[in-house]
């Protein structure tokens, strides 16, 4: 009969237990893959001093003001819109529109501007993309410079972690650009 010392038995038990484990392998590098549905743009049907096309993934939320909000339930975000007629107050409205993005300077890394000029439809404006962990990531204003003025701001219902919400920001930014490019002001009726 073969006799093993307790130390040898202990080593054999650990070797046997260690042999049953799977070999650890490093995980491949990967990023989070978020996919969003292809946007289907539909015209705004409410009777307002303007009209535009919006993504049907957003629901139009009427408000007490003269512009609806666009709510993105799957992205937990709202594009707040506000409209004001110009009544000898264009300079004040423009000043306010440029002040709103600058309120995010403390949290923003940068705020690049994109100008929009469409003389055929008399739509002029600026889109501000707020890069960083700010409360709002997109803001814009649009005007015909004589009668109409609209501002918009995008807010998410989540902590503003820019890297995490960047895919959603990029998705909604395309919708905002479509809104800007399809915006038409109501023309004054002539007697």
């Amino acid at each position: 009969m073969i006799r093993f010392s307790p130390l040898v038995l202990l080593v054999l038990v650990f070797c046997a237990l260690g042999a049953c484990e799977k070999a650890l392998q490093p995980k491949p590098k990967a990023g989070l893959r978020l996919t969003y549905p292809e946007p289907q743009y539909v015209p705004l049907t409410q009777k307002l001093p303007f009209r535009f096309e919006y993504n049907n993934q957003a629901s139009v939320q009427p408000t007490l003001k003269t512009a609806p909000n666009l709510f993105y339930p799957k992205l937990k975000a709202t594009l707040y819109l506000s409209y004001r007629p110009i009544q000898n107050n264009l300079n004040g409205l423009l000043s306010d529109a440029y002040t709103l993005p600058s309120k995010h300077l403390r949290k923003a890394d940068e705020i690049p501007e994109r100008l929009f000029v469409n003389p055929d439809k008399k739509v002029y404006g600026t889109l501000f993309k707020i890069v960083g962990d700010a409360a709002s990531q997109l803001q814009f204003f649009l005007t015909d410079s004589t009668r109409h003025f609209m501002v918009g701001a995008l807010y998410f219902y989540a902590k503003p972690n820019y890297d995490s919400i960047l895919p959603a920001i990029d998705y909604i930014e395309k919708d905002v650009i479509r809104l800007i490019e399809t915006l038409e002001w109501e023309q004054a009726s002539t007697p």
Side-chain angles (χ1 to χ4, degrees):
M1 180 183 233
I2 302 176
R3 291 191 165 231
F4 293 104
S5 71
L7 182 59
V8 172
L9 280 175
L10 188 61
V11 169
L12 286 175
V13 168
F14 278 118
C15 286
L17 290 175
C20 295
E21 290 183 30
K22 289 174 95 179
L24 294 178
Q25 298 208 351
K27 293 182 180 180
K29 289 185 178 181
L32 179 62
R33 182 170 182 231
L34 299 173
T35 57
Y36 299 106
E38 194 65 32
Q40 299 291 318
Y41 294 102
V42 294
L44 185 67
T45 57
Q46 295 174 312
K47 185 155 177 58
L48 296 166
F50 52 84
R51 61 185 170 271
F52 56 79
E53 292 180 0
Y54 67 96
N55 186 341
N56 70 354
Q57 296 296 313
S59 62
V60 176
Q61 294 182 327
T63 61
L64 296 176
K65 52 188 179 144
T66 22
N69 295 327
L70 298 177
F71 176 61
Y72 291 81
K74 292 181 181 174
L75 302 177
K76 297 183 178 153
T78 299
L79 181 63
Y80 292 93
L81 300 175
S82 182
Y83 170 84
R84 289 196 170 165
I86 296 175
Q87 300 168 333
N88 293 325
N89 58 348
L90 180 60
N91 287 340
L93 293 170
L94 286 170
S95 176
D96 290 346
Y98 275 98
T99 301
L100 289 173
S102 67
K103 289 183 178 182
H104 300 285
L105 279 174
R106 278 189 283 155
K107 294 282 188 171
D109 296 330
E110 63 177 317
I111 304 178
E113 300 176 14
R114 181 172 172 185
L115 299 176
F116 289 87
V117 177
N118 185 340
D120 295 335
K121 293 184 180 179
K122 294 185 171 87
V123 176
Y124 311 97
T126 302
L127 172 63
F128 304 94
K129 186 168 186 177
I130 299 154
V131 178
D133 295 338
S136 175
Q137 287 70 38
L138 294 173
Q139 295 192 359
F140 66 91
F141 73 87
L142 302 166
T143 184
D144 68 349
S145 73
T146 56
R147 298 181 58 231
H148 306 283
F149 196 89
M150 178 190 286
V151 295
L154 175 66
Y155 288 90
F156 286 88
Y157 301 106
K159 183 178 180 195
N161 184 347
Y162 186 75
D163 292 341
S164 298
I165 60 176
L166 183 58
I169 296 168
D170 291 342
Y171 181 78
I172 296 175
E173 181 180 14
K174 292 173 187 166
D175 293 349
V176 169
I177 292 170
R178 179 67 174 245
L179 181 155
I180 293 170
E181 290 175 345
T182 61
L183 180 74
E184 293 182 23
W185 306 111
E186 175 189 277
Q187 299 302 316
S189 57
T190 54

